[in-house]
Amino acid sequence: MDHLADVLRQLFVLLLAAKIGDELFKRLRQPPVVGEILAGAIVGPAVLGWYEINPETMLFAEIGVVLLLFQVGLETRLHDLVRVGPTALAVGALGVALPFGGGFLLAEMLGSPLVVAVFLAAALTATSVGITSGVLRDLGALRTQSGRVILGAAVIDDVLAMLILAFASGLAAGSVSLDRIAALVVVAVLFIGIVLVGGTRILARRRSLLTDPEFAETPFLPGMIIMLGLAALASQIGLAAIIGAFLAGMVVGESSERHALESEVAPVAAFFTPFFFGFIGAQVDIAGLGNVETLALVAAVTVVAVATKFVGAFLGAIRRGRAEATLIGWGMVPRGEVGIVVAGLGLQIGAIEGQLYTVVVAMAILTTIIVPPFLPALVRRAEGPVPDLTPESR
Amino acid sequence: MDHLADVLRQLFVLLLAAKIGDELFKRLRQPPVVGEILAGAIVGPAVLGWYEINPETMLFAEIGVVLLLFQVGLETRLHDLVRVGPTALAVGALGVALPFGGGFLLAEMLGSPLVVAVFLAAALTATSVGITSGVLRDLGALRTQSGRVILGAAVIDDVLAMLILAFASGLAAGSVSLDRIAALVVVAVLFIGIVLVGGTRILARRRSLLTDPEFAETPFLPGMIIMLGLAALASQIGLAAIIGAFLAGMVVGESSERHALESEVAPVAAFFTPFFFGFIGAQVDIAGLGNVETLALVAAVTVVAVATKFVGAFLGAIRRGRAEATLIGWGMVPRGEVGIVVAGLGLQIGAIEGQLYTVVVAMAILTTIIVPPFLPALVRRAEGPVPDLTPESR
């Protein structure tokens, strides 16, 4: 009971702080998510210590980003993703290859051992699509072609990053099992394929399926059950839970009552997503950044992370013209919680040590904070005035 | 990441099971909450073991009942509670005194030491208002006079139970500090008084207060912040978190946009409450009940718990006539999670041992399961056809 009381207090503090940050940044005409992240940093362990990283607060953060991607999935139709498939594939592949190469070269230049170099490279690869898709949603730009390329590329990106992580973990454990990595590819591709093609087809054929049960008047609860199930399954097979949630959203979005569903998911997501953004900020270790060497390393890693991801994704999208390719490249830059998870795993299995962990976390947060301020202008340049530009309430 | 994947899987299993139980019981024309509780027992540690009691699943259960009482508070106006005040006070006081006396006598008869007797008595006192108010909501009977008496009595009940628990804990620790207990009374009464009178007055005077911030288009997020804050504060001062959530709902319900707020809270509560009901069921330890002596003890404790609470609350409400008094008495019977928490505390500080813990948990679940089936008929007898009898979607 006492522990629960503490957790309730911490959740209260984080939600309140995030919403104050949101409020201030809205009034300053800056991206509210950045305000939420900074607020999380202030109440988190690094500054005030009113909020701590524990299993319960991590769960709320995870549910927050899972709901965000579920919402994004609801607004995404399979045939739209398929149409941008080749571009998304190129963006995903080049947007993973260049950061991996860049991270590896940087670590080699610094004289790091092979295992450390591979882990740093792995931490630089995966985009966190949560931030960009959240901002694009607010701008009403999720259904533009560029928005769809970013979403499709994020799925491909996550599969590739999972494989690289499996490779890096194997290397740290002393043996890389190519069989195991091949099995991972097969499982991941099967999971995505079966869920997307099978799921959307079943629901497209029988659109009332989600409202047939008597416990459900709307597709909301059946949809949430599917979301939790696919998020759990995705993370069980080594993908990010958010990929499962995104796929669940796409499948459930085929329901005949998608709009009722969206309006019921919206408050749940609005309640939970601040815990995710605040949590990202709370990870920062300001004390650990307190010397010149570490700061220089943060700068170097961040520059490499931004430049390689931007150039890779830009080149992948170049056939869509410079304006769209710039938006797509920039939208893929945030590493967010995925970079932090990879670094945490490296720390846990002993592949990297404390300083590099701090550096990677700082890189993940910096790449996440710098992206939102420039997105509105890039969206305008790439897509012109977006038809439904009314910011949706988050 | 692995641990999070497991937690996501467990939450998925519990939500799916609870909704299957809900569906079956709805089709059998039985109370859906009982179906959710039994489903929790089946997937819980006692039978299938697909769901475990851990900090994260406990948090989800707690948030579930917090949201349920927040919803109930939204539908409750202060002046309505004040009008039933004297009756609620009598119901609360007698509904605590008789179970305490009954539990104490039973333990004395069984030859238990004083500390054990006081703890058993304490575990029998507190009503869990979650179950009854949930069922009354479904029946549209929350705004009847009996519904209001039950809600008011539950608040008084919880304050008294907190004091008894403080007394019992002091006794177990070897010293009862009357100063500390007096301080608890003062703090609890001040908390409830200031929140209710001050909070409702401020919001009644300036009804747009919750929609003034720019981050909020509706009072939903400000309301959720207040709910978390008061729930945390209530549990910090020794009251149940749900009392804080109930008060928060009453305060926020003064907002000018109460109906917008209710429709946004509904899906969040619908998502979370199954975790609460399922969690209650998952607590049951069927293996521990596997001998005749324990079963006899469960029967005795449950009979005492039901009879004393019913008679106490019935006598407190007798001035409202037999039909209403029967409804109120029966509605106060469930002990739910409050009984389990008291027993858990007793186990933790060594005042009771494993067998008695199992017995109290079984009593809490039995008193919770037997109440819902009879409520619809009792409501009809006491209140006649209720105007808004359309079951609200949970």
Side-chain angles (χ1 to χ4, degrees), chain B residues 320-352:
Chain B
R320 307 197 61 87
R322 291 172 61 94
E324 274 199 48
T326 308
L327 170 60
I328 292 167
W330 192 245
M332 297 293 289
V333 163
R335 301 308 199 285
E337 83 289 1
V338 187
I340 295 173
V341 166
V342 172
L345 187 67
L347 190 67
Q348 196 186 319
I349 65 180
I352 63 173

Side-chain angles (χ1 to χ4, degrees), chain A residues 5-6 9 12 15 19 22-23 55-56 59-60 213-215 220-221 224-225 229 232 235-236 264 267 271-272, chain B residues 5-6 9 12 15 19 22-23 55-56 59-60 213-215 220 224-225 229 232 235-236 264 267 270-272:
Chain A
D6 289 341
R9 197 192 60 232
F12 162 68
L15 184 61
K19 285 296 131 188
D22 178 347
E23 181 79 10
E56 293 95 332
L59 175 65
F60 260 54
E214 287 198 17
F215 76 78
F220 170 69
L221 274 179
M224 295 293 279
I225 293 173
S235 59
Q236 217 93 41
E264 286 189 276
F271 172 62
F272 269 105
Chain B
D6 289 342
R9 197 191 60 233
F12 162 67
L15 184 61
K19 285 295 129 188
D22 177 346
E23 181 78 10
E56 292 96 332
L59 174 65
F60 260 54
E214 287 198 17
F215 76 78
F220 169 69
M224 296 293 279
I225 293 174
S235 60
Q236 216 94 43
E264 287 189 276
F271 172 62
F272 270 105

Side-chain angles (χ1 to χ4, degrees), chain B residues 186-253:
Chain B
V186 173
V187 170
V189 170
L190 277 181
F191 172 73
I192 294 174
I194 291 174
V195 168
L196 272 190
V197 179
T200 52
R201 197 161 288 181
I202 290 170
L203 259 162
R205 218 169 269 180
R206 187 152 164 211
R207 283 169 173 267
S208 66
L209 199 64
L210 297 180
T211 46
D212 287 347
E214 287 198 17
F215 76 78
E217 286 168 31
T218 70
F220 169 69
L221 273 179
M224 296 293 279
I225 293 174
I226 293 172
M227 178 197 81
L228 271 184
L230 291 182
L233 197 55
S235 60
Q236 216 94 43
I237 66 175
L239 287 168
I242 58 173
I243 297 296
F246 174 67
L247 299 180
M250 285 181 63
V251 169
V252 174

Side-chain angles (χ1 to χ4, degrees), chain B residues 21-97:
Chain B
D22 177 346
E23 181 78 10
L24 287 177
F25 272 62
K26 269 216 179 90
R27 286 175 189 245
L28 298 170
R29 313 235 160 268
Q30 297 301 312
V33 290
V34 177
E36 298 193 8
I37 294 171
L38 293 180
I42 291 170
V43 296
V47 185
L48 294 174
W50 293 349
Y51 168 89
E52 68 181 42
I53 310 290
N54 57 37
E56 292 96 332
T57 56
M58 281 177 69
L59 174 65
F60 260 54
E62 176 82 354
I63 299 282
V65 68
V66 158
L67 276 160
L68 185 59
L69 268 288
F70 182 59
Q71 258 188 322
V72 170
L74 282 176
E75 299 183 17
T76 308
R77 295 283 61 81
L78 179 59
H79 54 90
D80 294 326
L81 269 201
V82 169
R83 209 180 302 152
V84 299
T87 312
L89 197 62
V91 170
L94 287 172
V96 161

Side-chain angles (χ1 to χ4, degrees), chain A residues 68-135:
Chain A
L68 185 59
L69 269 287
F70 182 59
Q71 259 187 320
V72 169
L74 284 175
E75 300 183 17
T76 308
R77 296 282 63 78
L78 180 58
H79 54 89
D80 294 327
L81 270 201
V82 170
R83 210 180 301 153
V84 299
T87 312
L89 197 64
V91 170
L94 287 173
V96 162
L98 266 66
F100 187 85
F104 192 83
L105 282 181
L106 179 67
E108 288 285 305
M109 275 167 54
L110 296 169
S112 307
L114 180 66
V115 173
V116 176
V118 171
F119 247 97
L120 179 63
L124 259 56
T125 53
T127 288
S128 162
V129 75
I131 306 287
T132 298
S133 58
V135 176

